[in-house]
Amino acid sequence: MPELPEVETIRLGLLSTVIGQRISRVDVLLGKMFTGDPERVLGASVRDVSRRGKLLILDIEGDSFLSLLIHLKMTGQLLFKSLTRPEFAGGHPVPPLNTPLPNKSTKVIFTFESGDILYFNDLRTFGYIKLVERENVFKERFLQTIGVEPLSDAFTLEYFKGLLKKYPKMSLKSFLLDQRKIAGLGNIYTDEALFLAYLHPTRLTGSLSASDVKSLYDATRSVLQKGIQLHGASKTSYVTLDGTQGTFLADVAVYQQQGKPCPRCGTLISKFSFAGRGTHVCVQCQK
DNA sequence: TGCCCCCTGCAG
DNA sequence: CTGCAGGGGGCA
């Protein structure tokens, strides 16, 4: 589900809600969603919330230094409810089930000493919460293999050029989707970035001109920044911490726009299956 | 480096 | 009713 901008939106929400809060109770409603001993988080306070790619990292501190790794995968949601903060009153319908919290897709519930509650919902149950020792966080295989943060200073044009050169025979689509190359892009932002760069998803990484590379680099970063500004892309299940939807999809050029006119040239957007994903292009603009 | 799979709900 | 959905691990 959520890609980098959605996860970053949730991270920023968590920073303003759960930092400093002490966990007084944990309910795990579906065992496979929580790895580790939930008892260990009782009495611990949230110290920091960071993000690596699409993975959230909540540092908590009680008797020991622990971290909660949270991956939302396709349909995961984090929802915050507070009786003292009107904007988080909760109880309102939450897509896709449109029933109040907790609901059928609620899998884990964190209750804080203040009475505030954090719900982890996941309709398709692909997501997970994993409790690990703080010192072992970066020994996790996912974090060992994940690529550069595309909005970090480390992701320079030069770095991007080098990365493309290292994998010259991949399609642009599978390259951008590969978390081991660049962390955080998923299907929506990949399709939008390729449109913005006027590059076709099936083009090979090794076939780009210097100006193509620059276009794709700029497009990748700008589409992610815009996604964060608009609080992410809500199609069905993604919502922000207070249950509201992101607005990125309101003016996408190609994603899920098949049959509609390209905003640049008017050619009808087409959709086909590629790299295992629905892929949307303007065949006129993207070469 | 591709393909299948983990799940459930909903559009077509 | 079948196919599809924004992710990524494991497999050949």
Side-chain angles (χ1 to χ4, degrees), chain A residues 26-174:
Chain A
V26 181
D27 296 280
V28 178
L29 307 181
L30 182 60
K32 72 159 186 168
M33 306 297 290
F34 194 107
T35 301
D37 179 7
E39 295 279 320
R40 295 191 70 199
V41 311
L42 297 179
S45 298
V46 182
R47 293 296 182 217
D48 193 17
V49 186
S50 53
R51 178 189 58 72
R52 189 69 177 85
K54 303 170 190 171
L55 185 73
L56 281 168
I57 305 169
L58 272 70
D59 290 340
I60 61 173
E61 185 181 332
D63 294 335
S64 49
F65 294 90
L66 302 171
S67 294
L68 285 164
L69 308 181
I70 304 180
H71 205 304
L72 303 172
K73 290 288 182 81
M74 299 280 268
T75 53
Q77 301 173 322
L78 284 173
L79 293 147
F80 183 74
K81 186 157 123 182
S82 173
L83 297 177
T84 58
R85 296 179 64 173
E87 71 272 36
F88 295 109
H92 54 284
V94 178
L97 296 179
N98 286 313
T99 53
L101 296 167
N103 61 31
K104 191 177 163 190
S105 64
T106 302
K107 306 304 176 192
V108 181
I109 305 173
F110 295 92
T111 305
F112 299 101
E113 227 168 46
S114 64
D116 293 350
I117 303 176
L118 183 66
Y119 297 94
F120 175 58
N121 280 15
D122 192 353
L123 188 134
R124 286 170 72 183
T125 72
F126 291 168
Y128 61 81
I129 297 180
K130 185 171 183 181
L131 180 65
V132 297
E133 306 287 337
R134 182 90 54 87
E135 60 190 13
N136 292 335
V137 167
F138 291 97
K139 294 179 188 165
E140 287 291 310
R141 197 166 47 103
F142 180 66
L143 291 174
Q144 287 277 319
T145 56
I146 199 168
V148 66
E149 280 294 323
L151 296 180
S152 73
D153 292 343
F155 187 60
T156 60
L157 178 58
E158 285 308 307
Y159 184 90
F160 188 52
K161 278 180 190 166
L163 206 52
L164 286 164
K165 205 169 181 177
K166 201 169 162 188
Y167 304 98
K169 290 185 179 170
M170 290 181 79
S171 68
L172 293 180
K173 174 109 181 183
S174 48

Side-chain angles (χ1 to χ4, degrees), chain A residues 182-197:
Chain A
I182 301 170
L185 287 159
N187 207 34
I188 298 176
Y189 295 94
T190 294
D191 278 7
E192 290 301 309
L194 287 168
F195 172 80
L196 285 183

Side-chain angles (χ1 to χ4, degrees), chain A residues 194-266:
Chain A
L194 287 168
F195 172 80
L196 285 183
Y198 305 134
L199 292 168
H200 198 278
T202 62
R203 271 282 289 277
L204 261 40
T205 38
S207 75
L208 301 190
S209 69
S211 74
D212 289 338
V213 173
K214 174 79 162 73
S215 299
L216 186 55
Y217 172 80
D218 289 341
T220 300
R221 288 174 62 108
S222 67
V223 81
L224 290 172
Q225 279 157 353
K226 182 176 174 185
I228 293 170
Q229 276 171 16
L230 297 179
H231 308 298
S234 293
K235 185 183 164 199
T236 52
S237 62
Y238 165 73
V239 288
T240 65
L241 257 201
D242 63 2
T244 57
Q245 304 202 322
T247 57
F248 181 82
L249 288 186
D251 60 348
V252 290
V254 293
Y255 178 75
Q256 288 280 303
Q257 299 306 111
Q258 59 271 23
K260 296 183 183 167
C262 166
R264 178 169 176 256
C265 77

